[in-house]
Amino acid sequence: MSTDHNYVEINRQSWNNRTDTHLKSEFYDLDGFLKGKNSLNSIELNLLGDLKGKSILHLQCHFGQDTISLSRLGANVTGIDLSDKAIDSAKQIAKDTNSNTKFICCNIYDLPEHLDQKFDIVYTSYGTIGWLPDIDKWAKIVSQFLKPQGQFVFVEFHPVVWMFDDDFKKITYRYFNSGAIIETENGTYADKKADINQSYVMWNHGIGEVVNSLIKNGLEIKTLNEFDYSPYNCFNKTIEFEPGKYRIAHLEDKIPMVYSIVAKKKN
């Protein structure tokens, strides 16, 4: 399938379809969040550092829990997402938590048509770039919205994870980007038994593709780290080996599951 296919609308509907289930799920624990729980993990918190007074652009924010969590740490935050239903929910959650977080609904590639601002930090995390066909175009957006010497903080599931079938029994997909992958799923990662069904379009992106796109668009890589666990129990066949740390049970600590990049805009 070519990228001319209307993947934007397919994926928008896919995320709209998931949103109500996610809002009610234990995975997102909205009740705990409304009572003040921070939704961010130690991996990204260690990379972000002191956020007081910083301006942050949060790309692909879903319904804004992490966005609002960044705001609770003292930052001025703008979140963007493709799903209108998720953004409507984010605005309501911000209102319910007395947060001044701003939200914009748009396709990430169209963001320059909706926002004209430079930020101290651009942030995005966990399950984001797989929804995008063109990583060079993504890196251009990151660079465009960073101030000179601004910082890009990126945490993502490792591309090795996306090579496997759902039960991690065999290698099904190429590590490298070979074009669009069209899937249909029952349930959702936040509630695998949910009575919902959606189609979606994704792309695999190797770390080399990501790093070179960032370098090409004027960012200097400061750190690149890999982790042998996921902070989210969103895969099949997992075991929690420490509180809040999950691995694929039969693969143990043998594969990377998450990686992080911190990069600085040169000028």
Side-chain angles (χ1 to χ4, degrees), residues 124-181:
T124 188
S125 67
Y126 303 105
T128 55
I129 62 171
W131 302 96
L132 304 175
D134 189 334
I135 289 300
D136 181 67
K137 198 171 178 181
W138 166 81
K140 278 187 173 70
I141 293 291
V142 170
S143 182
Q144 178 174 341
F145 284 95
L146 274 175
K147 294 178 181 177
Q149 303 301 307
Q151 185 168 259
F152 176 50
V153 178
F154 176 55
V155 187
E156 181 58 283
F157 293 117
H158 202 285
V160 165
V161 168
W162 304 126
M163 295 171 65
F164 288 88
D165 68 316
D166 287 347
D167 289 330
F168 290 84
K169 295 294 186 183
K170 62 181 181 178
I171 301 293
T172 303
Y173 304 97
R174 289 189 79 220
Y175 175 92
F176 303 99
N177 185 357
S178 300
I181 301 167

Side-chain angles (χ1 to χ4, degrees), residues 11-232:
N11 288 341
R12 187 198 317 279
Q13 291 303 322
S14 174
W15 282 100
N16 280 348
N17 196 44
R18 291 179 175 95
T19 298
D20 282 344
T21 297
H22 287 188
L23 287 165
K24 298 170 186 174
S25 69
E26 291 183 18
F27 184 96
Y28 281 101
D29 186 19
L30 180 57
D31 185 55
F33 184 79
L34 292 172
K35 292 175 181 176
K37 179 181 175 183
N38 191 303
S39 64
L40 297 164
N41 304 294
S42 60
I43 293 174
E44 53 266 32
L45 287 170
N46 290 337
L47 298 175
L48 287 161
D50 183 5
L51 297 180
K52 289 184 177 62
K54 298 284 182 67
S55 59
I56 301 180
L57 175 63
H58 182 195
L59 304 176
Q60 295 169 272
C61 68
H62 198 23
F63 52 79
Q65 284 186 324
D66 286 1
T67 325
I68 294 168
S69 290
L70 293 166
S71 180
R72 286 171 171 173
L73 294 171
N76 300 305
V77 194
T78 299
I80 79 134
D81 198 85
L82 176 71
S83 164
D84 49 294
K85 196 163 187 176
I87 288 296
D88 286 345
S89 299
K91 290 177 178 177
Q92 184 59 53
I93 294 168
K95 184 177 179 182
D96 292 342
T97 56
N98 296 312
S99 173
N100 63 357
T101 312
K102 300 173 185 175
F103 291 99
I104 297 169
C105 181
C106 72
N107 172 18
I108 186 173
Y109 295 144
D110 296 336
L111 187 56
E113 299 172 20
H114 300 265
L115 184 65
D116 182 18
Q117 184 180 345
K118 303 285 187 182
F119 294 83
D120 297 312
I121 298 171
V122 173
Y123 172 72
T124 188
S125 67
Y126 303 105
T128 55
I129 62 171
W131 302 96
L132 304 175
D134 189 334
I135 289 300
D136 181 67
K137 198 171 178 181
W138 166 81
K140 278 187 173 70
I141 293 291
V142 170
S143 182
Q144 178 174 341
F145 284 95
L146 274 175
K147 294 178 181 177
Q149 303 301 307
Q151 185 168 259
F152 176 50
V153 178
F154 176 55
V155 187
E156 181 58 283
F157 293 117
H158 202 285
V160 165
V161 168
W162 304 126
M163 295 171 65
F164 288 88
D165 68 316
D166 287 347
D167 289 330
F168 290 84
K169 295 294 186 183
K170 62 181 181 178
I171 301 293
T172 303
Y173 304 97
R174 289 189 79 220
Y175 175 92
F176 303 99
N177 185 357
S178 300
I181 301 167
I182 310 163
E183 301 276 13
T184 300
E185 70 173 347
N186 295 312
T188 173
Y189 63 85
D191 183 355
K192 295 182 176 67
K193 296 180 180 178
D195 187 21
I196 57 173
N197 176 277
Q198 53 272 330
S199 298
Y200 55 89
V201 186
M202 299 193 76
W203 290 260
N204 285 346
H205 300 292
I207 291 178
E209 182 187 0
V210 173
V211 167
N212 287 327
S213 293
L214 292 170
I215 292 170
K216 178 183 172 183
N217 285 283
L219 277 79
E220 179 183 357
I221 307 299
K222 306 301 288 186
T223 65
L224 192 162
N225 292 303
E226 297 170 289
F227 302 85
D228 61 5
Y229 70 91
S230 166
Y232 294 109

